[in-house]
């Protein structure tokens, strides 16, 4: 075992909406370069946990750390805004529904944040956009507007936009679940390429085959707790918990229909 300090460290995460407990004292440590998948039924708290990492869905209790920086610090409003804007430059996030700006071209979507937040020149931001679009196989669409792109193409642009900020960690929240089946693989291929480059990634997914083949660790969540975690070969082939076994059996039955 290594004594290496965690790169992402979630400590005793709790989240409640009134009397509804969505996260119940979850702790999770991710090392630099690790790819971690979070699986589980709808409503288990997966996306809430992921969104807590960059404080998009602030915790009720607990702490989130990236390296030596506590992300969810309690600060006066103006100080917090400056703090979280700085932190979010290090955390790329890709959502289920792309969230591209429809009035901007692909180029405009990707260069906006680097120019505003990192104060890059137009030429520098353009070079960065071209580099990231090349990586996701979308350079030939650089001057298209989102309305002319398929769902898979939009999601690849969203990944390129996140990568353009040179993040330390990438969060994927059901990045393929809104796509037609034939488009899922093109997004998964981009994520596999990032894995090969040892990008730290935390991925909420329903793609069990992807989680098994690409991820270093898998967490199974249900009812706001981590029921079981381990390497994919254990979780998918020899799960120890009955809830994990039931979920995987139902998922397999559903995918075979």
């Amino acid at each position: 075992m290594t004594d290496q300090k965690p790169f992402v460290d979630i400590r005793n995460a709790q989240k409640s909406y009134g009397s509804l407990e969505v996260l119940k004292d979850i702790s999770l440590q991710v090392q630099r370069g690790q790819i971690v998948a979070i699986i589980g039924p709808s409503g288990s708290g997966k996306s809430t946990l992921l969104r807590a990492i960059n404080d998009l869905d602030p915790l009720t209790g607990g702490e989130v750390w990236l390296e030596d920086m506590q992300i969810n610090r309690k600060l006066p409003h103006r100080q917090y805004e400056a703090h979280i804007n700085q932190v979010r430059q290090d955390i790329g996030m890709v959502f289920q529904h792309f969230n591209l700006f429809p009035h901007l071209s692909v180029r405009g979507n990707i260069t906006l944040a680097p120019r505003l937040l990192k104060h890059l020149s137009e030429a520098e931001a353009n070079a960065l956009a071209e580099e990231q679009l090349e990586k996701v196989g979308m350079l030939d669409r650089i001057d298209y507007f989102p309305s002319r792109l398929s769902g898979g193409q939009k999601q690849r642009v969203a990944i390129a936009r996140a990568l353009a900020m040179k993040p330390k960690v990438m969060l994927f929240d059901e990045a393929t679940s809104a796509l037609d089946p034939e488009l899922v693989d093109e997004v998964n291929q981009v994520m596999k390429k990032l894995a090969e480059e040892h990008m730290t990634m935390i991925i909420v997914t329903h793609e069990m085959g992807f989680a098994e083949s690409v991820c270093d660790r898998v967490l199974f969540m249900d009812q706001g707790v981590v029921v079981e975690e381990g390497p994919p070969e254990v979780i998918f082939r020899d799960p120890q918990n009955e809830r994990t076994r039931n979920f995987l059996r139902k998922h397999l039955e559903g995918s075979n229909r």
Side-chain angles (χ1 to χ4, degrees):
M1 291 294 290
T2 178
D3 292 328
Q4 185 181 356
K5 191 173 182 179
F7 191 56
V8 178
D9 192 1
I10 300 172
R11 307 174 185 174
N12 308 108
Q14 301 161 47
K15 177 68 176 182
S16 298
Y17 297 100
S19 60
L20 176 64
E21 280 189 289
V22 181
L23 299 177
K24 304 171 185 174
D25 199 32
I26 290 178
S27 294
L28 168 64
Q29 289 75 43
V30 179
Q31 300 296 347
R32 184 190 293 269
Q34 269 195 332
I35 298 109
V36 176
I38 306 175
I39 64 171
S42 297
S44 58
K46 309 183 299 295
S47 291
T48 303
L49 180 65
L50 194 76
R51 290 165 64 87
I53 294 172
N54 61 5
D55 218 29
L56 273 179
D57 209 342
L59 294 173
T60 310
E63 299 177 357
V64 182
W65 291 74
L66 177 64
E67 297 185 287
D68 295 320
M69 173 70 72
Q70 184 181 349
I71 293 169
N72 63 332
R73 293 167 64 191
K74 299 292 186 281
L75 293 167
H77 178 72
R78 194 167 288 182
Q79 284 179 257
Y80 170 80
E81 288 295 311
H83 161 74
I84 202 64
N85 287 338
Q86 185 64 41
V87 165
R88 285 177 181 158
Q89 293 185 40
D90 292 330
I91 304 172
M93 186 151 189
V94 179
F95 300 89
Q96 180 177 342
H97 293 293
F98 328 128
N99 291 6
L100 297 179
F101 295 113
H103 64 290
L104 295 178
S105 66
V106 167
R107 185 194 304 272
N109 266 281
I110 295 175
T111 57
L112 181 65
R115 291 183 68 184
L116 286 178
L117 299 176
K118 292 187 179 290
H119 308 294
L120 267 59
S121 69
E122 184 177 350
E124 290 169 331
N126 273 324
L128 186 61
E130 290 172 7
E131 174 193 345
Q132 299 308 329
L133 287 169
E134 180 76 42
K135 180 179 287 188
V136 301
M138 287 293 293
L139 184 55
D140 62 336
R141 301 289 195 274
I142 191 167
D143 290 315
Y144 282 39
F145 281 79
S147 60
R148 295 183 62 193
L149 303 178
S150 71
Q153 290 171 334
K154 288 176 186 175
Q155 197 58 293
R156 284 189 279 158
V157 171
I159 293 171
R161 181 175 62 178
L163 291 173
M165 292 301 289
K166 304 291 185 183
K168 296 177 179 178
V169 58
M170 285 285 287
L171 310 178
F172 292 88
D173 189 9
E174 300 281 15
T176 60
S177 65
L179 302 178
D180 293 332
E182 65 270 18
L183 302 177
V184 168
D185 189 57
E186 66 182 65
V187 175
N188 281 343
Q189 289 302 322
V190 172
M191 293 166 69
K192 285 178 182 177
K193 190 173 180 182
L194 292 178
E196 290 165 4
E197 296 171 1
H198 306 292
M199 168 65 77
T200 309
M201 295 192 283
I202 306 173
I203 303 166
V204 170
T205 184
H206 280 107
E207 297 286 323
M208 300 302 144
F210 177 85
E212 185 171 6
S213 64
V214 174
C215 297
D216 302 304
R217 287 167 56 208
V218 178
L219 275 70
F220 171 64
M221 284 184 65
D222 192 17
Q223 298 177 0
V225 299
V226 175
V227 175
E228 186 169 358
E229 69 172 292
E233 59 269 21
V234 173
I235 298 298
F236 290 113
R237 298 177 198 174
D238 188 26
Q240 302 302 298
N241 191 284
E242 184 63 27
R243 285 156 77 182
T244 314
R245 289 195 289 269
N246 287 339
F247 170 78
L248 291 172
R249 184 167 57 246
K250 287 177 185 173
H251 193 89
L252 189 62
E253 288 169 356
S255 62
N256 285 338
R257 280 181 190 140

